[in-house]
Amino acid sequence: MTQAPVTPAHETQAAPGEPLVVLSGVEKWFGDLHVLQDIDLTVKRGEVVVVIGPSGSGKSTLCRTINRLETIDEGDITLDQQPLPAEGKALANLRAEVGMVFQSFDLFAHKTILENVTLGPTKVLKQSKADAETRAQELLDRVGVGHQAKKYPAQLSGGQQQRVAIARALAMQPKVMLFDEPTSALDPEMIKEVLEVMVDLAKQGMTMIVVTHEMGFARTAADRVVFMADGRIQEENTPEEFFTNPQTDRAKDFLGKILKH
Amino acid sequence: MQAVLDNADVVALAFTYTVLLFLISGVLSLALGTVVAAARVGPVAILRRAAAVYVSIIRNTPLLIVLIFFRFAGPKIGLTWSFVDFQFGRVNLNNIFAACVVGLTIYTSTFVAEALRAGVNAVPLGQAEAARAIGLPFGGVMRHVILPQAFRHSLPPLASVQIALLKNTTVAGAVSVYEAFNRMRDLTNDYATQRIGIFIAFALIFVLLVEVVSLAANRIERRWRIA
């Protein structure tokens, strides 16, 4: 085996094109702030959905509700037709099936790169250490940091750390990958190396929900762009349609601001 | 000073009790303190409250009162520790010694728990979120990700807590464990003219013991430093 497969090993009921992640009528408040308002969103298996919008529009919160790092106050979220469990072992199992990549990488600081990737497979999926290490090494090679396996996170550049974080999530063989502004904390030249990994992943059929400001990535890799503002989904469309012919004033205003510079 | 040299064997025995009280209570207080700290930062509200109350009550009670409780009141409510009676050469570990170990452990565990809680708070929230995101349950998040880093952050205060414990073992002398302080009192009574020398000798031995603990802590801190 020269290249690790990305297709999820979990038995899944959703065939390609079937709804995998479904949010309906989701509402969330932070105190008085209504951060998510009547969110309906369906992500099909194999689809790459990019969520964009101004700061404070609720896009990160939306992303985090899908593996319940944020709870919701009303509405339903299902993964593979199963509602998200509220807590406990069932919730942990759900999270094992949803890969997540954070803005600040959040690699485990006291573990080596290899240990970062093998922790989940050995402790959650109960793989043997040898199996987990073989597969971790394959994933690290694939994201281009295989030779750094023995180092600690602080010894790597931001771009390398984020690619390790992607490998760590992939090691769990997730059904869907969530990316919460994965390149926002990176220098420009490092953004590219992370985006390349993500584009590869998209090409190989991974279901992805990506919160980002990278319009280039949205254009090349997204099947659909979701534009959020003020806690609402203002419009969703193909990237081509959205960027050339935005329907709402909010989207026109937003695109006008970011594309001018 | 001559009195100490002439009685080197009993002085050594006394410090053996001191070191044993410290080592046993030290290890037990680290274990108990870890459990209390985990309860205090855990997701179960009732455990959080219980751990907070435990810390408040024990930490706010003078050590002498805690030890007197376990030495004199404990047996009245069934905490006799009468199964503890081990003889190693001249060292006898009996029920009074056990009561002091329990008292010192419980007292010190509250300080360990607070030092660890400070360490847990110093671990960025993202570490816990990343651990949860790969499907680790609460216990796994704590064991594999939070506590190993919290221990590193907590090492300096934990070393202070353990050094305080080493010196606090002298309080056990007041409830009739023949450790260093108790032996020193006997010697100063028997050799009244050499009191100052005896005080200085005992103080120096304590300084040396504490220095060993603090050197060990520094070693561990250097080894565990996150790269």
Side-chain angles (χ1 to χ4, degrees):
Chain A
M1 190 154 71
T2 51
Q3 210 189 31
V6 235
T7 39
H10 296 292
E11 218 35 63
T12 153
Q13 291 117 18
E18 291 293 305
L20 183 62
V21 179
V22 179
L23 293 84
S24 53
V26 171
E27 307 272 352
K28 181 175 178 65
W29 284 265
F30 283 133
D32 288 338
L33 189 64
H34 200 170
V35 280
L36 295 180
Q37 303 179 31
D38 193 24
I39 301 287
D40 292 302
L41 179 67
T42 300
V43 178
K44 299 195 194 87
R45 192 157 135 67
E47 200 178 17
V48 177
V49 172
V50 166
V51 183
I52 63 172
S55 314
S57 59
K59 54 195 192 307
S60 275
T61 308
L62 173 72
C63 186
R64 291 161 55 87
T65 59
I66 295 169
N67 66 355
R68 220 180 147 80
L69 283 178
E70 299 285 355
T71 56
I72 55 173
D73 296 312
E74 275 170 45
D76 297 294
I77 302 178
T78 61
L79 175 76
D80 231 355
Q81 288 139 49
Q82 304 294 317
L84 298 198
E87 55 189 22
K89 190 81 189 126
L91 178 57
N93 288 342
L94 165 104
R95 286 179 176 147
E97 297 184 340
V98 179
M100 178 135 190
V101 175
F102 298 88
Q103 180 175 351
S104 47
F105 333 133
D106 296 323
L107 295 181
F108 306 129
H110 62 301
K111 291 191 175 291
T112 63
I113 296 309
L114 192 69
E115 288 166 349
N116 262 277
V117 182
T118 57
L119 182 66
T122 54
K123 302 298 173 192
V124 178
L125 303 180
K126 311 291 180 198
Q127 292 176 4
S128 75
K129 190 157 176 277
D131 286 354
E133 282 181 357
T134 310
R135 191 174 150 75
Q137 191 61 53
E138 285 166 8
L139 286 167
L140 288 172
D141 288 339
R142 206 175 99 203
V143 298
V145 284
H147 55 295
Q148 316 270 26
K150 298 282 171 256
K151 290 190 180 170
Y152 284 87
Q155 294 169 288
L156 269 57
S157 73
Q160 290 170 329
Q161 288 190 52
Q162 193 61 299
R163 285 182 282 154
V164 174
I166 293 172
R168 176 175 69 180
L170 289 177
M172 298 300 292
Q173 301 175 307
K175 290 177 176 171
V176 53
M177 287 281 284
L178 308 175
F179 293 82
D180 186 4
E181 302 201 27
T183 55
S184 297
L186 294 173
D187 293 339
E189 73 262 38
M190 291 174 184
I191 291 176
K192 191 165 163 283
E193 63 193 42
V194 171
L195 289 180
E196 277 168 3
V197 170
M198 289 170 60
V199 169
D200 266 3
L201 207 52
K203 279 185 190 150
Q204 290 175 48
M206 175 60 78
T207 312
M208 296 164 65
I209 300 172
V210 184
V211 174
T212 188
H213 296 294
E214 294 300 324
M215 299 306 144
F217 175 80
R219 278 177 186 276
T220 49
D223 296 311
R224 186 150 50 108
V225 172
V226 171
F227 175 72
M228 280 187 78
D230 307 323
R232 285 183 189 279
I233 294 179
Q234 305 284 345
E235 64 178 279
E236 40 185 318
N237 218 328
T238 61
E240 186 57 30
E241 268 300 299
F242 175 76
F243 286 112
T244 52
N245 187 19
Q247 301 297 309
T248 58
D249 291 342
R250 288 303 306 260
K252 284 175 193 161
D253 182 51
F254 178 75
L255 287 176
K257 276 178 193 150
I258 55 163
L259 296 180
K260 235 171 257 170
H261 299 286
Chain B
M1 196 66 98
Q2 194 57 40
V4 176
L5 296 175
D6 289 346
N7 295 280
D9 55 338
V10 287
V11 171
L13 180 63
F15 272 102
T16 306
Y17 283 122
T18 295
V19 169
L20 283 175
L21 278 172
F22 164 65
L23 288 178
I24 301 171
S25 311
V27 170
L28 292 179
S29 69
L30 286 172
L32 181 58
T34 304
V35 173
V36 174
R40 270 211 88 172
V41 301
V44 186
I46 188 148
L47 284 180
R48 272 203 306 269
R49 285 301 285 274
V53 169
Y54 171 85
V55 168
S56 304
I57 291 179
I58 307 288
R59 194 170 58 159
N60 297 358
T61 308
L63 175 59
L64 185 58
I65 292 177
V66 174
L67 288 192
I68 287 175
F69 174 85
F70 282 101
R71 169 74 176 82
F72 297 108
K76 299 254 191 314
I77 56 168
L79 301 171
T80 56
W81 316 107
S82 52
F83 58 93
V84 181
D85 190 14
F86 305 109
Q87 190 79 36
F88 304 100
R90 300 176 61 199
V91 180
N92 174 240
L93 305 184
N94 58 16
N95 59 327
I96 299 173
F97 180 87
C100 286
V101 165
V102 171
L104 286 167
T105 297
I106 285 179
Y107 180 79
T108 308
S109 69
T110 60
F111 294 90
V112 168
E114 288 299 281
L116 280 178
R117 194 166 66 91
V120 168
N121 289 343
V123 178
L125 181 63
Q127 295 283 308
E129 289 193 337
R132 277 148 63 192
I134 59 170
L136 286 172
F138 174 75
V141 174
M142 290 303 281
R143 186 159 62 249
H144 300 301
V145 176
I146 304 301
L147 285 178
Q149 296 187 60
F151 267 116
R152 287 162 165 81
H153 292 300
S154 300
L155 258 175
L158 277 180
S160 298
V161 168
Q162 294 298 313
I163 286 168
L165 168 63
L166 174 52
K167 298 188 291 182
N168 283 344
T169 56
T170 52
V171 180
V175 290
S176 59
V177 172
Y178 252 89
E179 49 64 70
F181 166 72
N182 217 345
R183 180 59 65 190
M184 182 185 79
R185 199 170 46 184
D186 278 6
L187 285 179
T188 53
N189 285 339
D190 294 346
Y191 301 87
T193 54
Q194 300 183 38
R195 272 183 185 163
I196 292 176
I198 294 169
F199 284 142
I200 292 174
F202 273 78
L204 281 178
I205 297 173
F206 264 109
V207 168
L208 274 176
L209 288 177
V210 169
E211 200 50 35
V212 170
V213 176
S214 114
L215 277 177
N218 284 340
R219 287 288 288 271
I220 299 173
E221 205 174 323
R222 219 169 310 145
R223 172 128 19 116
W224 277 8
R225 185 160 296 161
I226 299 165

